[in-house]
Amino acid sequence: MAEMLKDKVAIITGSGRGIGRGVAKLMAAQGAKVVVVDPGVNVDGTGADSSFAQDVVDEIKADGGEGVACLESVATMSGGEKIIQTALDNYGKLDIVVTVAGILRDRMIFNMSEQEWDDVIAVHLKGTFSIVKNASVLFRQQKSGRIITFSSTTGLYGNSGQANYGAAKDGIAGFTRVVARDLGRYGVTANAISPSAATRMIGSIPDDARELRAARGISTGAALTLRGGADDIAPMVTWLASDDAAHVNGHVFHVTEGLVTLLNEPEPTRTIQKDGKWTVEELVRVFPVTIGIELVNPAPSQVPKE
């Protein structure tokens, strides 16, 4: 067994299946003691099945590793506290948290209910906070720790029909950049992964919905490559969790099979400037021939002009 994460204790949320499962198994193979967190819900967050988390733990133990299952939800602060406590109760410490857990409630914004918004934000955005906040108390005290969160091209670039998911995922990217600055001085790193892989969540989006949006000229915005499977994300996550990555902090990486891309932080691309404030009349004249040149509309109007 490899030794990259020897004697480390890791919590991986959403690790009963998909990308999280791959991360949990690889970290265990690299020597970490793993808390497999997954209540076994469906893609939309309904239901529960304790067997998924336990199955991953059984596989880890069969391969000679150490792991324990945890069925708590990340969507509440009490759940986050119990997840952290599970690591402490079983292994006496915590070194790594990876927040993969997520659900989908796809709906065009004009049809989206408040509940569909709240449920997705609760699992993704608050669920990331509930783990990272509670872990950060320990990490600050011990002056070490690794935080790996999960963003998405849906949030970073935009994807039709996923306002709730996109808001949460872009929020996670911003959250991670701030946490990196809050905790970096204490020897803690925080980085985000934007994964692309053929997973259960991706497969749940109906083909007819994709085709309808494409026929209407609606860009997904997610221009980065999608290929490979869930297990392809684990190596980069595992490396970021290691001592070798102590210098990497506050970044977002797009990861898919055979490809790791460092994504840039928002930066100015074109600027117009004058002394004093702009008037509306000046902007009408100047904008179209300066920063407005070749701007792409991701969803061209379908309403015929009269």
Side-chain angles (χ1 to χ4, degrees):
M1 184 176 289
E3 301 294 323
M4 181 176 287
L5 300 181
K6 183 180 179 182
D7 297 327
K8 303 291 188 183
V9 175
I11 288 171
I12 303 100
T13 70
S15 49
R17 286 169 285 188
I19 291 172
R21 174 182 178 274
V23 172
K25 292 196 67 176
L26 183 57
M27 285 192 172
Q30 290 289 337
K33 300 176 180 67
V34 176
V35 179
V36 177
V37 183
D38 201 317
V41 300
N42 298 317
V43 172
D44 64 358
T46 60
D49 188 337
S50 62
S51 67
F52 292 105
Q54 190 58 50
D55 286 348
V56 175
V57 170
D58 292 344
E59 291 172 10
I60 287 171
K61 290 181 176 180
D63 292 335
E66 293 188 50
V68 62
C70 179
L71 307 180
E72 295 292 339
S73 170
V74 300
T76 67
M77 292 308 293
S78 62
E81 291 173 1
K82 290 173 183 176
I83 290 167
I84 302 301
Q85 195 61 46
T86 298
L88 299 179
D89 289 346
N90 284 271
Y91 302 118
K93 66 170 189 167
L94 179 63
D95 303 288
I96 302 158
V97 293
V98 184
T99 58
V100 189
I103 64 171
L104 282 181
R105 296 279 179 87
D106 282 13
R107 195 83 65 192
M108 299 296 280
I109 186 61
F110 40 79
N111 290 325
M112 185 173 290
S113 70
E114 182 180 7
Q115 195 64 54
E116 288 167 336
W117 174 271
D118 288 347
D119 288 348
V120 170
I121 295 295
V123 175
H124 287 277
L125 190 54
K126 186 173 181 179
T128 297
F129 172 72
S130 76
I131 296 297
V132 172
K133 191 274 178 184
N134 287 299
S136 70
V137 176
L138 294 173
F139 289 172
R140 179 172 177 244
Q141 292 172 347
Q142 67 196 29
K143 292 184 170 50
S144 66
R146 296 285 179 269
I147 297 165
I148 300 103
T149 65
F150 271 68
S151 184
S152 170
T153 54
T154 291
L156 300 172
Y157 294 85
N159 192 14
S160 177
Q162 296 186 316
N164 46 9
Y165 181 75
K169 288 304 193 182
D170 208 15
I172 288 170
F175 172 83
T176 304
R177 290 185 175 115
V178 172
V179 169
R181 287 157 175 78
D182 284 351
L183 298 180
R185 73 191 73 177
Y186 302 107
V188 181
T189 66
N191 295 283
I193 300 292
S194 170
S196 285
T199 64
R200 179 177 66 120
M201 189 172 286
I202 292 293
S204 72
I205 303 173
D207 289 339
D208 57 355
R210 302 175 197 265
E211 292 167 2
L212 180 61
R213 292 166 191 170
R216 292 178 176 174
I218 301 174
S219 168
T220 64
L224 297 176
T225 305
L226 169 63
R227 62 193 188 199
D231 290 349
D232 297 325
I233 312 303
M236 182 62 180
V237 177
T238 300
W239 180 76
L240 284 173
S242 73
D243 292 339
D244 291 339
H247 62 293
V248 183
N249 190 32
H251 300 290
V252 180
F253 299 92
H254 177 71
V255 182
T256 187
E257 180 191 37
L259 178 71
V260 176
T261 303
L262 173 64
L263 300 182
N264 68 302
E265 297 186 18
E267 58 185 18
T269 55
R270 301 174 190 165
T271 302
I272 55 174
Q273 185 175 357
K274 58 164 288 190
D275 292 334
K277 70 177 182 180
W278 288 95
T279 67
V280 173
E281 292 77 15
E282 288 172 329
L283 289 172
V284 168
R285 185 179 71 254
V286 175
F287 183 90
V289 295
T290 55
I291 60 177
I293 290 177
E294 297 179 346
L295 289 183
V296 176
N297 184 346
S301 174
Q302 302 296 305
V303 179
K305 295 181 180 179
E306 297 181 357

